[in-house]
Amino acid sequence: MTLPGKRGGMIVHGRTPLNAESPRAALAEGPITARDAFYVRNHGPVPETPGGARLRIGGLVARTLVLSLDEVVGRTADRREVTATLQCAGNRRDGLMAVRDIPGEAPWGPGATGTARWTGVPLVTLLAEAGPLPGARHVGFAGRDRDGGPRPEPFGGSIPLEKALSEEVIVAWAMNGRPLPAVHGAPLRMVVPGYIGARSIKWLDRIELRAQPWAGSHQQVAYRLLRPDEEPGPGRGVELGELALNAVVLAPEEGARVPGGRVEVRGYALAGGARHVARVEVSADGGATWTAAELLDDLGPWAWRTWRARLRLAPGRAEIVARAWDSAGHTHPERAEDLWNPKGYVNNSWAHVAVEVV
Ligand SMILES: Nc1nc2c(c(=O)[nH]1)N[C@H]1C(S)=C(S)[C@@H](COP(=O)(O)O)O[C@H]1N2
Ligand SMILES: [Mo]
């Protein structure tokens, strides 16, 4: 199935709205994900912007701003490029669905993530012009799209003011040096490095300074971590924000036939928040013994680390496992069974790939 602007081989989870993840091979090509292979996660149809986009900044501010696209993009002196990984909270949900089904959610594999060079203006620059009032604690973002829910609402979400004032958070108009494609939020989107993808609002329409977190369903009902026996409902569960440490094997692929001897294993690891990946380890025996992986290109604090390891594999079936540590000394859980949750978020169990060594 080919999609406009995307190469063949994307793994399509839905066409209307469009939802598609990158095949492992595309992510394994290098640390920057090509635009035509970057995953798409949409909750509604791609919106039109008749009459041109305007960005409104309001709520708890001294001055409400209404900016034209030129007034945002034209700030050449403030322009900033950030290399950042986006990752959906539903990345690797398929591993949770293998434990127990999750009706109504798509079985995303490990390709609901990608890394790009984003160009934009720091959000803090725009906030300084609007002048946050003392009661402002959160910065909300609303898109121009409407989801397909029973009471359609714009896709939205918020981040704490403290994060919003950090220089890596940008209002972006370009991806890998070219204008944002429509499916990735043209003309303007948020890029909130270190946070779940759901906070990087596309087709940005409105920025709102608030005393409380975003009240819409995409933050109050969805993107929350429920207990296994809990029903989704407003305010229930743990609100997701910073991404969790995760590691994935990109090559070889599940079920691959690989020649015996030394086999190269490659993947990505992402630390989340402002932490960085400190160590990745790989096992050829399901986690009994471990080999250190080599961390590859360092693209800065907001990007994943790709990694490579060589494992000696004897003929037969081999179970390759990977896990990471972050700069806070944390590693991640072994079993998806212990992580299952009703909406299928944050599967950061050890990565497993079974191969046939010939
Ligand atoms: N307006 C709007 N912004 C959105 C979404 C959306 O459906 N509408 N999806 C969010 C989610 S859940 C993710 S993971 C990222 C995906 O960004 P991408 O499609 O550019 O990869 O966009 C986020 N921003
Ligand atoms: Mo997402």
Side-chain angles (χ1 to χ4, degrees), residues 30 37 73 80 121 150 171 184 202 211 217 246 255 263 276 280 286 295 326 346:
V73 180
R80 171 152 307 150
V121 57
V171 176
H184 293 295
K202 302 191 278 191
S217 73
N246 214 331
V263 172
H276 61 261
V280 174
L295 299 182
D326 69 17
V346 202

PDB file of all heavy atoms in Angstrom, residues 30 37 73 80 121 150 171 184 202 211 217 246 255 263 276 280 286 295 326 346:
ATOM      1  N   GLY A  30      19.756   4.877   9.367  1.00  0.00           N
ATOM      2  CA  GLY A  30      20.615   5.898   9.960  1.00  0.00           C
ATOM      3  C   GLY A  30      19.890   6.609  11.071  1.00  0.00           C
ATOM      4  O   GLY A  30      18.693   6.387  11.267  1.00  0.00           O
ATOM      5  N   ALA A  37       9.676   8.231   5.269  1.00  0.00           N
ATOM      6  CA  ALA A  37       9.546   6.995   6.068  1.00  0.00           C
ATOM      7  C   ALA A  37       9.083   7.298   7.492  1.00  0.00           C
ATOM      8  O   ALA A  37       8.917   6.391   8.300  1.00  0.00           O
ATOM      9  CB  ALA A  37      10.885   6.263   6.113  1.00  0.00           C
ATOM     10  N   VAL A  73       7.340  32.604  11.001  1.00  0.00           N
ATOM     11  CA  VAL A  73       8.454  32.075  10.198  1.00  0.00           C
ATOM     12  C   VAL A  73       9.492  33.161   9.921  1.00  0.00           C
ATOM     13  O   VAL A  73      10.676  32.874   9.731  1.00  0.00           O
ATOM     14  CB  VAL A  73       7.909  31.468   8.872  1.00  0.00           C
ATOM     15  CG1 VAL A  73       9.030  30.921   8.009  1.00  0.00           C
ATOM     16  CG2 VAL A  73       6.902  30.373   9.180  1.00  0.00           C
ATOM     17  N   ARG A  80      15.756  28.396  15.171  1.00  0.00           N
ATOM     18  CA  ARG A  80      16.550  27.366  15.847  1.00  0.00           C
ATOM     19  C   ARG A  80      16.288  26.011  15.212  1.00  0.00           C
ATOM     20  O   ARG A  80      15.160  25.724  14.790  1.00  0.00           O
ATOM     21  CB  ARG A  80      16.156  27.319  17.326  1.00  0.00           C
ATOM     22  CG  ARG A  80      16.761  26.152  18.075  1.00  0.00           C
ATOM     23  CD  ARG A  80      16.936  26.458  19.539  1.00  0.00           C
ATOM     24  NE  ARG A  80      17.685  27.696  19.743  1.00  0.00           N
ATOM     25  CZ  ARG A  80      17.523  28.498  20.787  1.00  0.00           C
ATOM     26  NH1 ARG A  80      16.641  28.225  21.706  1.00  0.00           N
ATOM     27  NH2 ARG A  80      18.242  29.589  20.912  1.00  0.00           N
ATOM     28  N   VAL A 121      10.893  28.290  15.772  1.00  0.00           N
ATOM     29  CA  VAL A 121      11.218  29.361  16.697  1.00  0.00           C
ATOM     30  C   VAL A 121      10.949  28.822  18.101  1.00  0.00           C
ATOM     31  O   VAL A 121       9.961  28.099  18.311  1.00  0.00           O
ATOM     32  CB  VAL A 121      10.403  30.633  16.376  1.00  0.00           C
ATOM     33  CG1 VAL A 121       8.918  30.368  16.397  1.00  0.00           C
ATOM     34  CG2 VAL A 121      10.744  31.771  17.305  1.00  0.00           C
ATOM     35  N   PRO A 150     -17.338  11.019  19.553  1.00  0.00           N
ATOM     36  CA  PRO A 150     -18.768  11.344  19.589  1.00  0.00           C
ATOM     37  C   PRO A 150     -19.011  12.854  19.659  1.00  0.00           C
ATOM     38  O   PRO A 150     -19.957  13.367  19.078  1.00  0.00           O
ATOM     39  CB  PRO A 150     -19.271  10.644  20.854  1.00  0.00           C
ATOM     40  CG  PRO A 150     -18.068  10.193  21.615  1.00  0.00           C
ATOM     41  CD  PRO A 150     -16.904  10.180  20.671  1.00  0.00           C
ATOM     42  N   VAL A 171       8.155  25.892  18.028  1.00  0.00           N
ATOM     43  CA  VAL A 171       7.063  25.925  17.050  1.00  0.00           C
ATOM     44  C   VAL A 171       7.744  25.753  15.697  1.00  0.00           C
ATOM     45  O   VAL A 171       8.496  26.624  15.269  1.00  0.00           O
ATOM     46  CB  VAL A 171       6.296  27.264  17.124  1.00  0.00           C
ATOM     47  CG1 VAL A 171       5.218  27.322  16.042  1.00  0.00           C
ATOM     48  CG2 VAL A 171       5.680  27.451  18.510  1.00  0.00           C
ATOM     49  N   HIS A 184       2.370  15.895   8.586  1.00  0.00           N
ATOM     50  CA  HIS A 184       3.171  16.120   9.787  1.00  0.00           C
ATOM     51  C   HIS A 184       2.897  17.486  10.415  1.00  0.00           C
ATOM     52  O   HIS A 184       3.656  17.933  11.272  1.00  0.00           O
ATOM     53  CB  HIS A 184       4.655  15.922   9.486  1.00  0.00           C
ATOM     54  CG  HIS A 184       4.985  14.489   9.159  1.00  0.00           C
ATOM     55  ND1 HIS A 184       4.851  13.470  10.084  1.00  0.00           N
ATOM     56  CD2 HIS A 184       5.409  13.899   8.018  1.00  0.00           C
ATOM     57  CE1 HIS A 184       5.194  12.315   9.511  1.00  0.00           C
ATOM     58  NE2 HIS A 184       5.528  12.548   8.269  1.00  0.00           N
ATOM     59  N   LYS A 202       0.172  19.042  16.056  1.00  0.00           N
ATOM     60  CA  LYS A 202       0.305  19.408  14.645  1.00  0.00           C
ATOM     61  C   LYS A 202      -0.784  20.412  14.268  1.00  0.00           C
ATOM     62  O   LYS A 202      -1.748  20.613  14.984  1.00  0.00           O
ATOM     63  CB  LYS A 202       0.192  18.146  13.778  1.00  0.00           C
ATOM     64  CG  LYS A 202       1.240  17.101  14.152  1.00  0.00           C
ATOM     65  CD  LYS A 202       1.318  15.957  13.150  1.00  0.00           C
ATOM     66  CE  LYS A 202       0.269  14.907  13.374  1.00  0.00           C
ATOM     67  NZ  LYS A 202       0.533  13.692  12.542  1.00  0.00           N
ATOM     68  N   ALA A 211      -3.861  27.655  34.212  1.00  0.00           N
ATOM     69  CA  ALA A 211      -3.521  27.307  35.592  1.00  0.00           C
ATOM     70  C   ALA A 211      -3.450  25.794  35.749  1.00  0.00           C
ATOM     71  O   ALA A 211      -2.715  25.273  36.579  1.00  0.00           O
ATOM     72  CB  ALA A 211      -4.550  27.893  36.552  1.00  0.00           C
ATOM     73  N   SER A 217     -10.022  15.726  26.038  1.00  0.00           N
ATOM     74  CA  SER A 217      -9.981  14.274  26.251  1.00  0.00           C
ATOM     75  C   SER A 217      -8.632  13.652  25.908  1.00  0.00           C
ATOM     76  O   SER A 217      -8.298  12.590  26.422  1.00  0.00           O
ATOM     77  CB  SER A 217     -11.089  13.600  25.436  1.00  0.00           C
ATOM     78  OG  SER A 217     -10.749  13.626  24.068  1.00  0.00           O
ATOM     79  N   ASN A 246      13.541   3.321  26.653  1.00  0.00           N
ATOM     80  CA  ASN A 246      13.115   2.205  25.812  1.00  0.00           C
ATOM     81  C   ASN A 246      14.269   1.763  24.927  1.00  0.00           C
ATOM     82  O   ASN A 246      15.198   2.540  24.671  1.00  0.00           O
ATOM     83  CB  ASN A 246      11.919   2.640  24.947  1.00  0.00           C
ATOM     84  CG  ASN A 246      10.933   1.512  24.714  1.00  0.00           C
ATOM     85  OD1 ASN A 246      11.314   0.336  24.701  1.00  0.00           O
ATOM     86  ND2 ASN A 246       9.680   1.859  24.517  1.00  0.00           N
ATOM     87  N   GLY A 255      12.222 -13.574  13.043  1.00  0.00           N
ATOM     88  CA  GLY A 255      12.084 -14.707  12.138  1.00  0.00           C
ATOM     89  C   GLY A 255      13.153 -14.770  11.051  1.00  0.00           C
ATOM     90  O   GLY A 255      13.121 -15.677  10.217  1.00  0.00           O
ATOM     91  N   VAL A 263      27.148 -12.154  14.361  1.00  0.00           N
ATOM     92  CA  VAL A 263      26.001 -11.493  13.738  1.00  0.00           C
ATOM     93  C   VAL A 263      25.912 -10.071  14.278  1.00  0.00           C
ATOM     94  O   VAL A 263      26.044  -9.855  15.489  1.00  0.00           O
ATOM     95  CB  VAL A 263      24.702 -12.264  14.059  1.00  0.00           C
ATOM     96  CG1 VAL A 263      23.477 -11.504  13.588  1.00  0.00           C
ATOM     97  CG2 VAL A 263      24.757 -13.653  13.438  1.00  0.00           C
ATOM     98  N   HIS A 276      19.799  10.909  29.161  1.00  0.00           N
ATOM     99  CA  HIS A 276      20.365  10.357  27.932  1.00  0.00           C
ATOM    100  C   HIS A 276      20.670   8.879  28.109  1.00  0.00           C
ATOM    101  O   HIS A 276      20.688   8.359  29.224  1.00  0.00           O
ATOM    102  CB  HIS A 276      21.591  11.150  27.485  1.00  0.00           C
ATOM    103  CG  HIS A 276      22.719  11.163  28.459  1.00  0.00           C
ATOM    104  ND1 HIS A 276      22.955  12.210  29.318  1.00  0.00           N
ATOM    105  CD2 HIS A 276      23.673  10.243  28.718  1.00  0.00           C
ATOM    106  CE1 HIS A 276      24.001  11.928  30.063  1.00  0.00           C
ATOM    107  NE2 HIS A 276      24.465  10.741  29.720  1.00  0.00           N
ATOM    108  N   VAL A 280      23.722   0.323  26.488  1.00  0.00           N
ATOM    109  CA  VAL A 280      22.813  -0.656  25.873  1.00  0.00           C
ATOM    110  C   VAL A 280      23.505  -2.005  25.927  1.00  0.00           C
ATOM    111  O   VAL A 280      24.719  -2.094  25.697  1.00  0.00           O
ATOM    112  CB  VAL A 280      22.471  -0.285  24.404  1.00  0.00           C
ATOM    113  CG1 VAL A 280      21.645  -1.381  23.737  1.00  0.00           C
ATOM    114  CG2 VAL A 280      21.725   1.049  24.349  1.00  0.00           C
ATOM    115  N   GLY A 286      18.529 -14.981  25.533  1.00  0.00           N
ATOM    116  CA  GLY A 286      17.296 -14.601  26.207  1.00  0.00           C
ATOM    117  C   GLY A 286      17.511 -13.841  27.509  1.00  0.00           C
ATOM    118  O   GLY A 286      16.582 -13.698  28.300  1.00  0.00           O
ATOM    119  N   LEU A 295      27.469   2.503  21.257  1.00  0.00           N
ATOM    120  CA  LEU A 295      26.538   3.590  20.952  1.00  0.00           C
ATOM    121  C   LEU A 295      27.053   4.343  19.743  1.00  0.00           C
ATOM    122  O   LEU A 295      28.229   4.700  19.683  1.00  0.00           O
ATOM    123  CB  LEU A 295      26.402   4.532  22.156  1.00  0.00           C
ATOM    124  CG  LEU A 295      25.870   3.899  23.448  1.00  0.00           C
ATOM    125  CD1 LEU A 295      25.732   4.952  24.542  1.00  0.00           C
ATOM    126  CD2 LEU A 295      24.533   3.193  23.211  1.00  0.00           C
ATOM    127  N   ASP A 326      19.702   4.509  31.452  1.00  0.00           N
ATOM    128  CA  ASP A 326      19.790   5.944  31.200  1.00  0.00           C
ATOM    129  C   ASP A 326      20.731   6.612  32.195  1.00  0.00           C
ATOM    130  O   ASP A 326      21.297   5.965  33.073  1.00  0.00           O
ATOM    131  CB  ASP A 326      18.396   6.586  31.180  1.00  0.00           C
ATOM    132  CG  ASP A 326      17.723   6.619  32.551  1.00  0.00           C
ATOM    133  OD1 ASP A 326      18.403   6.452  33.585  1.00  0.00           O
ATOM    134  OD2 ASP A 326      16.489   6.823  32.576  1.00  0.00           O
ATOM    135  N   VAL A 346       3.242   2.842  26.750  1.00  0.00           N
ATOM    136  CA  VAL A 346       4.546   2.674  27.429  1.00  0.00           C
ATOM    137  C   VAL A 346       4.975   1.211  27.553  1.00  0.00           C
ATOM    138  O   VAL A 346       5.294   0.738  28.642  1.00  0.00           O
ATOM    139  CB  VAL A 346       4.578   3.339  28.830  1.00  0.00           C
ATOM    140  CG1 VAL A 346       6.037   3.614  29.232  1.00  0.00           C
ATOM    141  CG2 VAL A 346       3.796   4.629  28.890  1.00  0.00           C
TER     142      VAL A 346
END
